[in-house]
């Protein structure tokens, strides 16, 4: 208690950073998982299983974050609010950008198709989070995740995502 008081953690004038801005990405991910499940629920059994795995992975990772957030609130390192929300515009801009990309991904998939949307989403997200100096890592990550997603969802599970001529050409090569 003395250490906490000495560090100013019990001071009535303390300004602990708020936890609510950090909820943007996990809440957006959960919304994405719900959307994803809704798109595969009427599809064959294999698609449902993959959807459940994807949603479960997102749910588990979000739960871990929520536990960390709760621990930070309980130990009084952070507050349940928006304190400091605008103090680091770079981080906040990244969070809002990833949320906007997620919404854009959902809206644009029917127009751009599966491959272009996945690649663009992953590439943009990695660049936003890691910066342009990591463009090679972003390109490798986006390419790898696009190939893996294409193979899993289109080739093996045969999920009927919105397609374009590029998606159909790739399907013709692999199927």
């Amino acid at each position: 208690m003395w250490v906490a008081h000495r560090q100013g953690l019990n001071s009535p004038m303390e300004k602990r950073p708020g936890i609510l801005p950090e909820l943007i990405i996990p809440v957006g991910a959960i919304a994405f998982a719900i959307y994803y499940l809704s798109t595969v629920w009427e599809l064959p059994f294999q698609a449902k299983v993959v959807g459940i795995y994807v949603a479960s992975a997102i749910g588990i990772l979000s739960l871990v974050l929520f536990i960390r957030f709760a621990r930070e609130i309980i130990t009084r390192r952070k507050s349940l609010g928006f304190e400091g929300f605008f103090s680091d515009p770079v981080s906040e801009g990244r969070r809002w950008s990833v949320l906007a990309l997620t919404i854009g991904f959902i809206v644009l998939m029917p127009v751009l198709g599966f491959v272009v949307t996945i690649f663009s989403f992953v590439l943009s997200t990695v660049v936003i989070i890691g910066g342009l100096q990591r463009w090679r890592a972003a390109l490798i990550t986006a390419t790898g995740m696009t190939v893996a997603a294409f193979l899993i969802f289109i080739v093996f599970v045969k999920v009927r995502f919105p397609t374009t001529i590029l998606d159909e050409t790739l399907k013709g090569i692999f199927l």
Side-chain angles (χ1 to χ4, degrees):
M1 186 65 158
W2 179 79
V3 172
H5 180 70
R6 178 132 168 100
Q7 292 175 344
L9 294 178
N10 291 329
S11 164
M13 300 301 289
E14 70 180 289
K15 298 283 188 190
R16 294 176 290 151
I19 202 82
L20 292 179
E22 295 187 40
L23 293 175
I24 293 169
I25 291 175
V27 168
I30 290 169
F32 176 76
I34 292 167
Y35 161 77
Y36 181 75
L37 278 176
S38 73
T39 63
V40 298
W41 206 249
E42 299 298 321
L43 297 177
F45 174 74
Q46 298 93 334
K48 287 181 195 172
V49 169
V50 171
I52 290 169
Y53 283 141
V54 168
S56 296
I58 289 171
I60 290 168
L61 292 172
S62 296
L63 179 64
V64 168
L65 282 172
F66 292 142
I67 290 169
R68 188 190 97 201
F69 296 155
R71 189 181 73 233
E72 289 177 337
I73 290 170
I74 290 168
T75 59
R76 302 185 51 80
R77 287 184 292 195
K78 298 215 175 171
S79 67
L80 187 59
F82 283 97
E83 183 68 38
F85 183 70
F86 297 106
S87 64
D88 183 10
V90 172
S91 294
E92 297 314 316
R94 287 178 181 155
R95 288 184 187 119
W96 286 110
S97 296
V98 170
L99 179 61
L101 285 172
T102 303
I103 293 167
F105 173 80
I106 293 167
V107 170
L108 292 174
M109 184 178 285
V111 177
L112 299 176
F114 182 75
V115 172
V116 171
T117 313
I118 292 282
F119 180 81
S120 300
F121 175 74
V122 174
L123 181 70
S124 302
T125 301
V126 173
V127 166
I128 285 171
I129 292 171
L132 275 175
Q133 64 273 20
R134 296 206 168 113
W135 68 270
R136 284 185 191 156
L139 192 59
I140 291 168
T141 302
T143 302
M145 291 191 72
T146 301
V147 168
F150 182 82
L151 291 174
I152 291 168
F153 295 118
I154 305 296
V155 174
F156 298 128
V157 181
K158 296 183 176 46
V159 176
R160 294 177 302 238
F161 283 115
T163 60
T164 61
I165 192 164
L166 176 62
D167 297 305
E168 293 300 324
T169 302
L170 290 171
K171 272 204 278 193
I173 292 170
F174 287 100
L175 297 176

